[in-house]
Amino acid sequence: MTALLPQALADFARRTLPPTPTPAPAPAPAPTPAFTKPAAPPPPAVPASAVPAPGGPAYALLADRPDGTVVRCAGTVVKAHAAGTDRAELAARIRIAGTPALAGVLLPPLRPEADEVHARPVSVWPYGSPVDPERPADAPWEEAAALLARLHRIPLADLPGPVPPMRGPAKVARALHRMAAATGPAGPYGHPYPEAADVRAAAARLPGWARGEEPAPRSGAAALCHGDLHLGQLVRHPAPDGPWHLIDVDDLGHGAPAWDLARPAAWYAAGLLDARTWTRFLDAYRTAGGPAAGPPGTDPWPELDLAARALTVQTAALAVTRAARAGRRLDDVERAMTDACVRIAALRADLEPEPPA
């Protein structure tokens, strides 16, 4: 990852921003009556810090990871995707996000195809206001559920094809690979992380397709899936008070819609999401016609269990990876996910879940 990439993305954003119109001359001020204080000028519509300067844009670095570097420049957001990204699949995902059938569900791109900066595929999006992490009580769980239901109900035939596969199982495989590379034969305390063995044992109880090792079985109608739902994947657009939209198309594709409910289901099963919030999310999804959790009043777990286990393994593997790279023990939240892996590994064989419909 080069330190020059964020600036290069900001420069690219500046080139793609619409030209700023020349303001009309201000009318001459009216005479001010004696002993009357002139009215203060109105505040600028856009903060000066967000407006690109003539010599180079002011920008904010929103993320800088191997799998994505994201820069905001005024009202434009530019994302450099991972170097190994499949260009054809990314192009298809960007086209899908821009189709009228998904208006109001996915944030539409500002450019209909991927560009390239520093040999990285790049996509361009409007800025949206993210979920405030300091106000968890205001988290838009119902809105997220309703957006997922709408996404899952879109007929695949209405989308520009070919629609690539949803990348959820591939991310499980990548998380397990990262954990193996980070822990190695011995951790920083002179012995392997015991939690890594728990995660591997839980992963071994998953079918090969859920670990990204083989194609998923055709056990039901495929739907358009987001592939990586969490609250960081929602923004208000137009900012700051517009309706919520889903963002991040890196994992978008056809697959089992239960996968999109799997992360909140896994958090609930691990004790990280309270029962009231989980019920709000599930009820909102069902009320909006979502197909992945059964009709209202029925048990959702026959549909969600396998995907929730897979997301538990993925989340726990990434937790162990972060701890190993930082040379520390797992924190309480990370430990909750590895403890859930212990429970998954101990389940009886006759309790193995079926693939989601």
Side-chain angles (χ1 to χ4, degrees):
M1 193 182 313
T2 172
L4 298 178
L5 180 58
Q7 181 62 59
L9 293 176
D11 292 341
F12 179 82
R14 183 169 180 259
R15 293 196 299 271
T16 60
L17 285 171
T20 303
T22 303
T32 303
F35 310 112
T36 302
K37 183 178 179 180
V46 179
S49 60
V51 178
Y59 70 89
L61 181 62
L62 304 183
D64 194 10
R65 303 183 302 269
D67 60 346
T69 298
V70 184
V71 163
R72 175 192 176 190
C73 186
T76 300
V77 173
V78 180
K79 178 174 183 177
H81 302 260
T85 297
D86 185 302
R87 263 58 167 184
E89 289 191 354
L90 176 61
R93 291 179 169 112
I94 294 172
R95 287 194 300 271
I96 290 170
T99 189
L102 288 168
V105 179
L106 285 172
L107 190 69
L110 291 178
R111 293 171 68 85
E113 56 190 25
D115 294 277
E116 189 168 295
V117 174
H118 284 207
R120 298 270 292 273
V122 163
S123 56
V124 186
W125 308 87
Y127 174 74
S129 298
V131 176
D132 187 349
E134 302 301 321
R135 301 177 64 180
D138 297 336
W141 286 105
E142 288 93 344
E143 292 87 346
L147 287 170
L148 282 183
R150 291 177 62 189
L151 185 75
H152 295 164
R153 296 200 319 266
I154 296 293
L156 294 177
D158 291 353
L159 303 174
V163 179
M166 181 264 297
R167 295 199 320 135
K171 298 189 74 169
V172 177
R174 186 171 64 184
L176 291 168
H177 176 77
R178 288 179 176 177
M179 182 183 72
T183 55
Y189 300 98
H191 56 81
Y193 274 77
E195 298 88 355
D198 298 330
V199 177
R200 286 193 293 269
R205 300 296 295 272
L206 299 175
W209 73 265
R211 300 192 301 268
E213 296 175 356
E214 58 193 49
R218 292 186 176 275
S219 57
L224 182 63
C225 302
H226 183 273
D228 188 27
L229 177 82
H230 53 80
L231 291 178
Q233 306 288 36
L234 289 107
V235 298
R236 286 187 178 276
H237 178 73
D241 299 317
W244 291 102
H245 291 70
L246 294 168
I247 62 170
D248 190 354
V249 300
D250 282 6
D251 304 306
L252 185 75
H254 66 80
W259 207 274
D260 282 344
L261 280 67
R263 181 175 275 111
W267 289 348
Y268 169 64
L272 298 178
L273 188 67
D274 64 89
R276 181 176 179 272
T277 301
W278 164 246
T279 301
R280 286 167 45 208
F281 174 80
L282 182 63
D283 287 351
Y285 178 81
R286 287 169 154 176
T287 299
T298 62
D299 181 4
W301 291 102
E303 292 288 335
L304 303 183
D305 194 18
L306 179 55
R309 294 187 194 190
L311 261 292
T312 299
V313 167
Q314 175 185 320
T315 306
L318 294 175
V320 174
T321 300
R322 287 192 298 269
R325 288 175 175 172
R328 59 170 176 82
R329 289 301 191 190
L330 276 69
D331 61 30
D332 291 343
V333 172
E334 294 165 339
R335 174 79 58 188
M337 299 310 298
T338 57
D339 287 348
C341 285
V342 173
R343 295 193 293 273
I344 291 172
L347 288 172
R348 301 196 318 266
D350 61 334
L351 296 179
E352 293 299 313
E354 296 294 326

